[in-house]
Amino acid sequence: MTNAYRMNALRGNPSPAVPQRDKSANTATVRVTPWRAFRRAMFALVGVGVFVGGGFALANDPTLIDKALTSAGVSTETQYKVVGDSMEPSLHDGQILRFPKEASKVARGEIAVVDMPLSWQYAGGTSGTVVKRVVATEGDSVSVVAGALHINGVQKTGLNPNCKTSADYTYTLQSGEVFVMGDNQGHSFDSLAMLCLAEQPESKNFTIPTLNVKAHSANPLVKDRA
């Protein structure tokens, strides 16, 4: 203690503050209690479990990858392989079609990939997914005259003497229905083929529900066979 400090104390003058040295490090320290440590460890284990479990699910259901990307707003696409010659000369057997993911309505003139309805499976003795062209949608009328298909009164195909549909039969497509055909007429199992099976056919037997449309586009990207 200095003499000046003693004199100030005797006079009653306030003593200047004595600076103190800060011995702590210049960092922020978080104290982790045993309970917090346990909780953090549990969160870490749960995170690992979700990651591993998610990987297992994706390995067993690859479509989950696509769903995950879609939900995250990532642009995705689907691809399908052309089998057969029903879409000649537009598409050829073995080609790969790549369709953008889109939420737009199915439009006339588009190429579509559709799941075959049960009526088609029973009639054709086959099942699966087919590639066809959409020739009529909601509000369009389809009729057959001498076996030739007419869309909104305009003839679209040649005569077909084997078609059983009555000449006075006309049907207007309802909401949620599309009429599809192969470009290679005479070599395609499609809506027209189903329509011609009866004189007075039921629409459910020759139209395709839009829910069965898996992909559609006016100009899908075409990749030649591998």
Side-chain angles (χ1 to χ4, degrees):
M1 183 177 296
T2 64
N3 291 330
Y5 185 89
R6 292 190 182 94
M7 293 299 297
N8 287 332
L10 292 174
R11 294 191 189 102
N13 295 332
S15 300
V18 179
Q20 301 292 324
R21 182 181 299 276
D22 185 3
K23 298 181 180 180
S24 63
N26 189 26
T27 58
T29 302
V30 177
R31 179 177 297 176
V32 180
T33 62
W35 166 245
R36 288 187 177 180
F38 175 77
R39 186 169 57 183
R40 289 187 177 185
M42 289 301 296
F43 285 163
L45 290 175
V46 171
V48 173
V50 169
F51 180 80
V52 174
F56 179 80
L58 293 178
N60 285 272
D61 185 6
T63 61
L64 291 180
I65 298 177
D66 186 55
K67 293 174 184 176
L69 290 176
T70 302
S71 64
V74 179
S75 177
T76 60
E77 61 182 17
T78 55
Q79 62 181 26
Y80 296 90
K81 182 178 181 180
V82 178
V83 178
D85 61 354
S86 69
M87 286 297 291
E88 295 277 0
S90 304
L91 302 174
H92 308 288
D93 180 58
Q95 287 183 322
I96 303 297
L97 305 182
R98 298 172 64 180
F99 293 85
K101 285 277 189 178
E102 54 185 345
S104 60
K105 289 185 177 181
V106 182
R108 189 188 315 121
E110 288 186 323
I111 293 174
V113 178
V114 301
D115 283 331
M116 297 175 65
L118 288 176
S119 58
W120 291 37
Q121 297 179 35
Y122 293 146
T126 184
S127 62
T129 302
V130 293
V131 179
K132 302 295 178 185
R133 189 176 299 279
V134 179
V135 298
T137 59
E138 177 184 351
D140 292 330
S141 65
V142 296
S143 58
V144 176
V145 180
L149 177 69
H150 290 67
I151 304 292
N152 299 326
V154 179
Q155 184 174 339
K156 296 296 184 179
T157 68
L159 304 180
N160 178 11
N162 297 318
C163 184
K164 298 179 180 179
T165 307
S166 173
D168 62 355
Y169 181 83
T170 299
Y171 178 75
T172 301
L173 272 69
Q174 305 300 304
S175 175
E177 297 177 335
V178 293
F179 192 98
V180 300
M181 290 172 48
D183 288 355
N184 189 7
Q185 274 304 297
H187 296 82
S188 175
F189 184 62
D190 50 28
S191 290
L192 179 57
M194 291 295 297
L195 176 63
C196 286
L197 290 180
E199 291 186 7
Q200 295 293 324
E202 295 184 68
S203 60
K204 66 179 182 180
N205 291 333
F206 60 81
T207 60
I208 293 286
T210 53
L211 292 177
N212 284 35
V213 178
K214 300 173 70 67
H216 62 96
S217 175
N219 296 292
L221 182 63
V222 180
K223 179 182 178 181
D224 288 333
R225 69 197 73 181

